[in-house]
Amino acid sequence: MNAPIKEGLPLPGHVVLCPFPEVDGCLAVGGIPLDRLAARVGSTPFYAYDRSVLTQHVKGLRAILPRAVDLHYAMKANPMPAIVQTMVGLVDGLDLASAGEMKVALDAGADPDEMSFAGPGKRPEELRQAVAAGVTINVESAAEIPHIVAAGEELGVRPRVAIRVNPDFELKSSGMKMSGGAKQFGIDAEVVPDVLRSLASLDIEFRGFHIYTGSQNLRAEAICDAQRQTVDLAIRLAADAPAAFPVLNIGGGFGVPYFPGDTPLELAPIVENLESLCEQTAKALPSAKVVIELGRYLVAHSGVYVARVVDRKISRGQVYLVTDGGMHHHLAASGNFGQVIRKNYPVVSGTRFAEPADETASVVGPLCTPLDLLGDKVQLPHMEVGDLVCVLMSGAYGYTSSPLQFLSHPAPAQVLV
Ligand SMILES: *Cc1c(COP(=O)(O)O)cnc(C)c1O
């Protein structure tokens, strides 16, 4: 799907794919060399997302997925309005995690019929907003139901309700497990039949099931295995459903390679598995379409985080490139967003993209904490004050997942180019 990273580029051990070409010696986003783009943005640091990389990637995935599968975008990976607007033209629906995301989705022109709202702890006001918008609410707790029904009665709208199930199995080898055992997500599978029976007497439209088992998985076999168990579970649970239903959301979890040693997810076995699961669903639940919801897989590699070197210092023989950006803007790249062992995101020189990576340097930010590390002893060309450093794979869980206020530096800009 993407051209492999340029030969000679300094990513020892990384199998990360760099979709950005070199123009005039610089990494280029949206065809614009980074020094020029930085001038256009007017300040550093910033996030830059490449519209054409994003579009081609999502279209490429669509083209190989079975036609019977609907592809949804999980907005929390990157809710920048311009990204969401682009995504609306590329995917079949959006998955929201808050009323705030719902606003962005509706502003972007997304169809509420193809939106679902998941997440624990939805407040009554948020549920009421979702009912008013006609968005499907993925119920995570039986306690949400009376609020939804009350909002529907008050507004004269029939609420759309799906049940998020916490299955009794997990997605193995996932970066984040979100099912199996005790969880704050979804309703435990063994309790779901009772909840379904309780829906029969309520004035709601039953939309189906949402079963999400985990995130950031690079093992196709683990994903296929969880998907098979998910469909089997949904078919069993459907026996107690109050009506035939239109949606079977089997989750996602497709991971992306961030770190040295990560290998990209193999899609072929997943596509094959989805084909057979669509056939099984068509027989057992003929009204239901299979939906998968992906976040990072759709957006991660189309984004770079760009920071400028403000100091180059040597401490006891080790080179430090001190930049104007850091963990406050990109918590994940600093290793503090759920990683157990800190590993480097792929880091390249944006302004010396074509030069050999013949120096070992640590890229740090301006915060007074050793946690503020964007690259620990990475191979880079010799860089000077004024050069631009790029953290690749930054299109997901960057800007909105970072403690932007920490140390009171300005927030970075975001551009879709
Ligand atoms: C976070 C989340 C996603 C997106 O996860 P990615 O790893 O970005 O694909 C999808 N669905 C649900 C329910 C989530 O909580």
Side-chain angles (χ1 to χ4, degrees):
M1 240 166 296
N2 309 304
I5 195 143
K6 252 174 101 304
E7 255 177 55
L9 268 177
L11 300 172
H14 275 281
V15 203
V16 165
L17 309 168
C18 177
F20 307 106
E22 179 212 319
V23 177
D24 299 338
C26 288
L27 178 145
V29 178
I32 303 176
L34 215 57
D35 51 359
R36 178 84 181 268
L37 183 61
R40 186 180 110 170
V41 172
S43 61
T44 52
F46 60 90
Y47 280 92
Y49 312 112
D50 190 309
R51 194 190 308 271
S52 119
V53 168
L54 178 69
T55 302
Q56 278 170 31
H57 180 65
V58 180
K59 282 188 175 165
L61 175 65
R62 265 263 60 128
I64 61 167
L65 283 177
R67 274 165 173 258
V69 170
D70 269 13
L71 175 62
H72 281 202
Y73 174 50
M75 271 180 65
K76 80 172 190 283
N78 189 330
M80 183 200 186
I83 293 263
V84 175
Q85 193 145 18
T86 303
M87 214 50 110
V88 166
L90 298 170
V91 298
D92 304 300
L94 297 178
D95 289 306
L96 327 169
S98 69
E101 288 189 0
M102 185 176 89
K103 178 186 187 307
V104 174
L106 292 169
D107 286 348
D111 180 357
D113 289 352
E114 307 297 335
M115 281 187 217
S116 54
F117 177 14
K122 297 184 204 73
R123 287 168 289 116
E125 309 85 78
E126 285 183 296
L127 292 167
R128 187 169 178 276
Q129 285 175 270
V131 170
V135 164
T136 294
I137 299 167
N138 293 341
V139 166
E140 306 255 354
S141 158
E144 290 178 2
I145 296 171
H147 294 296
I148 294 169
V149 170
E153 277 167 11
E154 185 211 333
L155 299 168
V157 176
R158 201 151 183 247
R160 296 174 147 179
V161 167
I163 299 291
R164 177 164 180 186
V165 182
N166 173 26
D168 52 5
F169 55 86
E170 59 176 36
L171 175 53
K172 297 200 176 68
S173 31
S174 247
M176 275 178 217
K177 294 197 168 95
M178 293 169 73
S179 75
K183 286 282 178 294
Q184 73 267 51
F185 308 110
I187 298 177
D188 293 345
E190 56 279 18
V191 183
V192 168
D194 277 345
V195 173
L196 288 170
R197 285 191 287 269
S198 79
L199 295 181
S201 61
L202 302 177
D203 193 15
I204 55 116
E205 179 185 337
F206 181 65
R207 299 279 295 172
F209 295 106
H210 175 219
I211 305 179
Y212 190 83
T213 51
S215 272
Q216 181 49 20
N217 201 303
L218 291 171
R219 282 190 46 222
E221 209 28 69
I223 290 176
C224 292
D225 183 49
Q227 286 177 338
R228 282 190 292 267
Q229 294 189 70
T230 295
V231 170
D232 287 343
L233 173 61
I235 291 171
R236 284 200 304 278
L237 293 173
D240 289 297
F245 53 88
V247 176
L248 172 52
N249 182 332
I250 64 170
F254 296 17
V256 292
Y258 292 112
F259 305 121
D262 282 356
T263 46
L265 180 65
E266 249 193 294
L267 284 179
I270 296 178
V271 169
E272 203 179 305
N273 190 57
L274 283 171
E275 268 157 11
S276 93
L277 292 177
C278 285
E279 281 172 30
Q280 186 187 356
T281 307
K283 282 192 199 116
L285 307 170
S287 63
K289 66 183 171 190
V290 173
V291 176
I292 60 170
E293 53 176 15
L294 303 178
R296 74 187 74 214
Y297 190 84
L298 301 184
V299 288
H301 69 274
S302 65
V304 289
Y305 173 66
V306 182
R308 198 178 290 282
V309 177
V310 295
D311 191 13
R312 175 189 163 89
K313 59 186 283 195
I314 317 276
S315 168
R316 306 207 161 110
Q318 193 178 323
V319 179
Y320 283 90
L321 299 170
V322 186
T323 69
D324 56 5
M327 73 176 291
H328 52 316
H329 297 165
H330 201 332
L331 190 66
S334 76
N336 296 294
F337 189 59
Q339 293 101 318
V340 181
I341 300 167
R342 191 194 174 286
K343 295 180 193 161
N344 288 323
Y345 266 50
V347 175
V348 299
S349 172
T351 34
R352 300 176 195 254
F353 196 48
E355 294 178 21
D358 51 13
E359 184 169 90
T360 304
S362 288
V363 180
V364 301
L367 307 190
C368 303
T369 161
L371 299 178
D372 190 10
L373 181 61
L374 291 176
D376 185 19
K377 300 190 188 81
V378 287
Q379 287 300 114
L380 289 169
H382 179 100
M383 299 230 278
E384 288 290 345
V385 171
D387 272 319
L388 299 173
V389 176
C390 290
V391 181
L392 303 178
M393 299 300 289
S394 296
Y397 303 109
Y399 187 94
T400 56
S401 309
S402 300
L404 297 173
Q405 303 285 323
F406 189 36
L407 267 89
S408 305
H409 289 284
Q414 296 192 92
V415 286
L416 174 60
V417 192

